[in-house]
mmCIF file of all heavy atoms in Angstrom:
data_model
loop_
_atom_site.group_PDB
_atom_site.id
_atom_site.type_symbol
_atom_site.label_atom_id
_atom_site.label_comp_id
_atom_site.label_asym_id
_atom_site.label_seq_id
_atom_site.Cartn_x
_atom_site.Cartn_y
_atom_site.Cartn_z
ATOM 1 N N SER A 1 -14.711 32.303 -20.912
ATOM 2 C CA SER A 1 -14.810 31.684 -22.230
ATOM 3 C C SER A 1 -13.810 32.293 -23.209
ATOM 4 O O SER A 1 -13.175 31.576 -23.991
ATOM 5 C CB SER A 1 -16.228 31.848 -22.773
ATOM 6 O OG SER A 1 -16.339 31.284 -24.062
ATOM 7 N N PHE A 2 -13.670 33.615 -23.159
ATOM 8 C CA PHE A 2 -12.729 34.283 -24.059
ATOM 9 C C PHE A 2 -11.306 33.791 -23.819
ATOM 10 O O PHE A 2 -10.557 33.535 -24.775
ATOM 11 C CB PHE A 2 -12.799 35.795 -23.867
ATOM 12 C CG PHE A 2 -11.816 36.565 -24.708
ATOM 13 C CD1 PHE A 2 -12.033 36.748 -26.063
ATOM 14 C CD2 PHE A 2 -10.658 37.085 -24.146
ATOM 15 C CE1 PHE A 2 -11.124 37.445 -26.847
ATOM 16 C CE2 PHE A 2 -9.749 37.777 -24.910
ATOM 17 C CZ PHE A 2 -9.976 37.962 -26.271
ATOM 18 N N CYS A 3 -10.936 33.630 -22.552
ATOM 19 C CA CYS A 3 -9.590 33.140 -22.221
ATOM 20 C C CYS A 3 -9.382 31.726 -22.755
ATOM 21 O O CYS A 3 -8.310 31.412 -23.302
ATOM 22 C CB CYS A 3 -9.376 33.165 -20.713
ATOM 23 S SG CYS A 3 -9.304 34.821 -20.000
ATOM 24 N N LEU A 4 -10.408 30.876 -22.605
ATOM 25 C CA LEU A 4 -10.306 29.504 -23.106
ATOM 26 C C LEU A 4 -10.202 29.472 -24.628
ATOM 27 O O LEU A 4 -9.463 28.661 -25.193
ATOM 28 C CB LEU A 4 -11.523 28.691 -22.661
ATOM 29 C CG LEU A 4 -11.643 28.366 -21.171
ATOM 30 C CD1 LEU A 4 -12.961 27.649 -20.884
ATOM 31 C CD2 LEU A 4 -10.476 27.513 -20.697
ATOM 32 N N GLN A 5 -10.954 30.352 -25.280
ATOM 33 C CA GLN A 5 -10.970 30.361 -26.742
ATOM 34 C C GLN A 5 -9.702 30.961 -27.340
ATOM 35 O O GLN A 5 -9.235 30.519 -28.384
ATOM 36 C CB GLN A 5 -12.198 31.133 -27.234
ATOM 37 C CG GLN A 5 -13.521 30.466 -26.924
ATOM 38 C CD GLN A 5 -14.702 31.306 -27.362
ATOM 39 O OE1 GLN A 5 -14.615 32.071 -28.307
ATOM 40 N NE2 GLN A 5 -15.813 31.184 -26.659
ATOM 41 N N ILE A 6 -9.177 31.973 -26.702
ATOM 42 C CA ILE A 6 -8.026 32.674 -27.272
ATOM 43 C C ILE A 6 -6.712 31.945 -26.970
ATOM 44 O O ILE A 6 -5.726 32.092 -27.697
ATOM 45 C CB ILE A 6 -7.959 34.134 -26.747
ATOM 46 C CG1 ILE A 6 -7.267 35.036 -27.780
ATOM 47 C CG2 ILE A 6 -7.271 34.202 -25.397
ATOM 48 C CD1 ILE A 6 -8.077 35.292 -29.012
ATOM 49 N N TYR A 7 -6.722 31.137 -25.893
ATOM 50 C CA TYR A 7 -5.504 30.411 -25.527
ATOM 51 C C TYR A 7 -5.220 29.322 -26.561
ATOM 52 O O TYR A 7 -6.040 28.461 -26.830
ATOM 53 C CB TYR A 7 -5.651 29.778 -24.139
ATOM 54 C CG TYR A 7 -4.437 28.982 -23.712
ATOM 55 C CD1 TYR A 7 -3.280 29.625 -23.277
ATOM 56 C CD2 TYR A 7 -4.448 27.591 -23.766
ATOM 57 C CE1 TYR A 7 -2.166 28.896 -22.890
ATOM 58 C CE2 TYR A 7 -3.338 26.857 -23.376
ATOM 59 C CZ TYR A 7 -2.202 27.513 -22.946
ATOM 60 O OH TYR A 7 -1.094 26.797 -22.568
ATOM 61 N N GLY A 8 -4.057 29.385 -27.154
ATOM 62 C CA GLY A 8 -3.665 28.388 -28.145
ATOM 63 C C GLY A 8 -4.288 28.576 -29.506
ATOM 64 O O GLY A 8 -4.237 27.667 -30.348
ATOM 65 N N ILE A 9 -4.876 29.747 -29.770
ATOM 66 C CA ILE A 9 -5.555 29.967 -31.041
ATOM 67 C C ILE A 9 -4.585 29.972 -32.225
ATOM 68 O O ILE A 9 -4.980 29.763 -33.375
ATOM 69 C CB ILE A 9 -6.356 31.295 -31.003
ATOM 70 C CG1 ILE A 9 -7.334 31.377 -32.186
ATOM 71 C CG2 ILE A 9 -5.416 32.490 -30.991
ATOM 72 C CD1 ILE A 9 -8.243 32.563 -32.150
ATOM 73 N N ASN A 10 -3.316 30.206 -31.943
ATOM 74 C CA ASN A 10 -2.316 30.237 -33.024
ATOM 75 C C ASN A 10 -1.665 28.877 -33.230
ATOM 76 O O ASN A 10 -0.594 28.796 -33.850
ATOM 77 C CB ASN A 10 -1.260 31.301 -32.725
ATOM 78 C CG ASN A 10 -0.484 31.011 -31.443
ATOM 79 O OD1 ASN A 10 -0.979 30.274 -30.580
ATOM 80 N ND2 ASN A 10 0.699 31.579 -31.310
ATOM 81 N N HIS A 11 -2.275 27.803 -32.753
ATOM 82 C CA HIS A 11 -1.667 26.482 -32.872
ATOM 83 C C HIS A 11 -1.424 26.131 -34.338
ATOM 84 O O HIS A 11 -2.247 26.352 -35.211
ATOM 85 C CB HIS A 11 -2.562 25.417 -32.229
ATOM 86 C CG HIS A 11 -3.866 25.213 -32.950
ATOM 87 N ND1 HIS A 11 -4.024 24.301 -33.970
ATOM 88 C CD2 HIS A 11 -5.083 25.805 -32.803
ATOM 89 C CE1 HIS A 11 -5.256 24.341 -34.422
ATOM 90 N NE2 HIS A 11 -5.925 25.242 -33.747
ATOM 91 N N GLY A 12 -0.225 25.605 -34.593
ATOM 92 C CA GLY A 12 0.122 25.161 -35.943
ATOM 93 C C GLY A 12 0.612 26.236 -36.882
ATOM 94 O O GLY A 12 1.258 25.940 -37.891
ATOM 95 N N LEU A 13 0.309 27.496 -36.591
ATOM 96 C CA LEU A 13 0.720 28.587 -37.473
ATOM 97 C C LEU A 13 2.210 28.854 -37.323
ATOM 98 O O LEU A 13 2.769 28.699 -36.240
ATOM 99 C CB LEU A 13 -0.080 29.851 -37.144
ATOM 100 C CG LEU A 13 -1.598 29.724 -37.304
ATOM 101 C CD1 LEU A 13 -2.285 31.028 -36.923
ATOM 102 C CD2 LEU A 13 -1.971 29.318 -38.723
ATOM 103 N N PRO A 14 2.901 29.236 -38.409
ATOM 104 C CA PRO A 14 2.367 29.672 -39.711
ATOM 105 C C PRO A 14 1.955 28.540 -40.647
ATOM 106 O O PRO A 14 1.491 28.793 -41.749
ATOM 107 C CB PRO A 14 3.525 30.472 -40.312
ATOM 108 C CG PRO A 14 4.736 29.787 -39.772
ATOM 109 C CD PRO A 14 4.367 29.371 -38.368
ATOM 110 N N HIS A 15 2.169 27.286 -40.215
ATOM 111 C CA HIS A 15 1.740 26.165 -41.051
ATOM 112 C C HIS A 15 0.243 25.946 -40.851
ATOM 113 O O HIS A 15 -0.335 26.379 -39.852
ATOM 114 C CB HIS A 15 2.522 24.911 -40.677
ATOM 115 C CG HIS A 15 4.009 25.110 -40.665
ATOM 116 N ND1 HIS A 15 4.751 25.263 -41.811
ATOM 117 C CD2 HIS A 15 4.885 25.215 -39.631
ATOM 118 C CE1 HIS A 15 6.026 25.443 -41.498
ATOM 119 N NE2 HIS A 15 6.131 25.430 -40.182
ATOM 120 N N HIS A 16 -0.381 25.264 -41.779
ATOM 121 C CA HIS A 16 -1.805 24.981 -41.652
ATOM 122 C C HIS A 16 -2.040 23.550 -42.128
ATOM 123 O O HIS A 16 -1.863 23.214 -43.284
ATOM 124 C CB HIS A 16 -2.643 25.979 -42.458
ATOM 125 C CG HIS A 16 -2.078 26.356 -43.785
ATOM 126 N ND1 HIS A 16 -2.441 25.751 -44.957
ATOM 127 C CD2 HIS A 16 -1.147 27.278 -44.119
ATOM 128 C CE1 HIS A 16 -1.766 26.274 -45.967
ATOM 129 N NE2 HIS A 16 -0.977 27.207 -45.494
ATOM 130 N N PHE A 17 -2.430 22.710 -41.179
ATOM 131 C CA PHE A 17 -2.556 21.280 -41.449
ATOM 132 C C PHE A 17 -4.006 20.832 -41.622
ATOM 133 O O PHE A 17 -4.267 19.722 -42.039
ATOM 134 C CB PHE A 17 -1.913 20.481 -40.305
ATOM 135 C CG PHE A 17 -0.475 20.862 -40.046
ATOM 136 C CD1 PHE A 17 -0.139 21.625 -38.939
ATOM 137 C CD2 PHE A 17 0.523 20.460 -40.918
ATOM 138 C CE1 PHE A 17 1.179 21.971 -38.698
ATOM 139 C CE2 PHE A 17 1.847 20.813 -40.686
ATOM 140 C CZ PHE A 17 2.181 21.573 -39.575
ATOM 141 N N ASP A 18 -4.939 21.701 -41.272
ATOM 142 C CA ASP A 18 -6.358 21.355 -41.401
ATOM 143 C C ASP A 18 -6.812 21.680 -42.824
ATOM 144 O O ASP A 18 -6.855 22.843 -43.223
ATOM 145 C CB ASP A 18 -7.182 22.149 -40.380
ATOM 146 C CG ASP A 18 -8.614 21.648 -40.281
ATOM 147 O OD1 ASP A 18 -9.204 21.342 -41.346
ATOM 148 O OD2 ASP A 18 -9.141 21.577 -39.164
ATOM 149 N N HIS A 19 -7.154 20.639 -43.570
ATOM 150 C CA HIS A 19 -7.529 20.824 -44.981
ATOM 151 C C HIS A 19 -8.760 21.705 -45.124
ATOM 152 O O HIS A 19 -8.851 22.528 -46.044
ATOM 153 C CB HIS A 19 -7.776 19.460 -45.624
ATOM 154 C CG HIS A 19 -8.159 19.532 -47.065
ATOM 155 N ND1 HIS A 19 -7.345 20.112 -48.023
ATOM 156 C CD2 HIS A 19 -9.290 19.110 -47.724
ATOM 157 C CE1 HIS A 19 -7.929 20.034 -49.204
ATOM 158 N NE2 HIS A 19 -9.107 19.431 -49.046
ATOM 159 N N ASP A 20 -9.723 21.560 -44.205
ATOM 160 C CA ASP A 20 -10.954 22.353 -44.295
ATOM 161 C C ASP A 20 -10.673 23.838 -44.061
ATOM 162 O O ASP A 20 -11.280 24.702 -44.702
ATOM 163 C CB ASP A 20 -11.981 21.859 -43.274
ATOM 164 C CG ASP A 20 -12.562 20.511 -43.664
ATOM 165 O OD1 ASP A 20 -12.412 20.123 -44.838
ATOM 166 O OD2 ASP A 20 -13.151 19.837 -42.793
ATOM 167 N N GLU A 21 -9.763 24.143 -43.144
ATOM 168 C CA GLU A 21 -9.369 25.538 -42.931
ATOM 169 C C GLU A 21 -8.776 26.125 -44.209
ATOM 170 O O GLU A 21 -9.091 27.253 -44.595
ATOM 171 C CB GLU A 21 -8.357 25.641 -41.793
ATOM 172 C CG GLU A 21 -8.937 25.639 -40.405
ATOM 173 C CD GLU A 21 -7.921 26.061 -39.367
ATOM 174 O OE1 GLU A 21 -6.783 25.550 -39.412
ATOM 175 O OE2 GLU A 21 -8.244 26.893 -38.511
ATOM 176 N N SER A 22 -7.912 25.351 -44.850
ATOM 177 C CA SER A 22 -7.268 25.821 -46.081
ATOM 178 C C SER A 22 -8.301 26.065 -47.174
ATOM 179 O O SER A 22 -8.219 27.058 -47.913
ATOM 180 C CB SER A 22 -6.235 24.796 -46.564
ATOM 181 O OG SER A 22 -5.221 24.614 -45.599
ATOM 182 N N LEU A 23 -9.288 25.177 -47.284
ATOM 183 C CA LEU A 23 -10.327 25.337 -48.298
ATOM 184 C C LEU A 23 -11.047 26.672 -48.141
ATOM 185 O O LEU A 23 -11.245 27.402 -49.111
ATOM 186 C CB LEU A 23 -11.344 24.194 -48.194
ATOM 187 C CG LEU A 23 -10.954 22.842 -48.801
ATOM 188 C CD1 LEU A 23 -12.044 21.818 -48.500
ATOM 189 C CD2 LEU A 23 -10.741 22.952 -50.305
ATOM 190 N N ILE A 24 -11.412 27.010 -46.911
ATOM 191 C CA ILE A 24 -12.198 28.219 -46.676
ATOM 192 C C ILE A 24 -11.358 29.470 -46.859
ATOM 193 O O ILE A 24 -11.765 30.422 -47.539
ATOM 194 C CB ILE A 24 -12.810 28.183 -45.261
ATOM 195 C CG1 ILE A 24 -13.874 27.104 -45.180
ATOM 196 C CG2 ILE A 24 -13.412 29.534 -44.900
ATOM 197 C CD1 ILE A 24 -14.514 26.955 -43.828
ATOM 198 N N VAL A 25 -10.172 29.505 -46.253
ATOM 199 C CA VAL A 25 -9.333 30.707 -46.314
ATOM 200 C C VAL A 25 -8.897 30.986 -47.752
ATOM 201 O O VAL A 25 -8.991 32.121 -48.235
ATOM 202 C CB VAL A 25 -8.109 30.559 -45.393
ATOM 203 C CG1 VAL A 25 -7.136 31.717 -45.605
ATOM 204 C CG2 VAL A 25 -8.551 30.507 -43.931
ATOM 205 N N GLU A 26 -8.419 29.976 -48.452
ATOM 206 C CA GLU A 26 -7.969 30.169 -49.828
ATOM 207 C C GLU A 26 -9.126 30.522 -50.752
ATOM 208 O O GLU A 26 -8.989 31.352 -51.652
ATOM 209 C CB GLU A 26 -7.249 28.909 -50.310
ATOM 210 C CG GLU A 26 -5.926 28.656 -49.580
ATOM 211 C CD GLU A 26 -5.290 27.340 -49.972
ATOM 212 O OE1 GLU A 26 -5.786 26.698 -50.927
ATOM 213 O OE2 GLU A 26 -4.303 26.941 -49.325
#
């Protein structure tokens, strides 16, 4: 499970296209 979860975890970075992610982090 850890391998599946960690693989590709940096997708899209350094950009961030998910509006909900931006709401929470900011």
Side-chain angles (χ1 to χ4, degrees):
S1 179
F2 177 76
C3 292
L4 291 176
Q5 293 177 29
I6 208 71
Y7 179 76
I9 194 174
N10 62 338
H11 67 90
L13 300 179
H15 308 288
H16 40 96
F17 305 105
D18 191 319
H19 180 59
D20 288 344
E21 278 193 313
S22 299
L23 281 176
I24 291 178
V25 172
E26 293 175 9

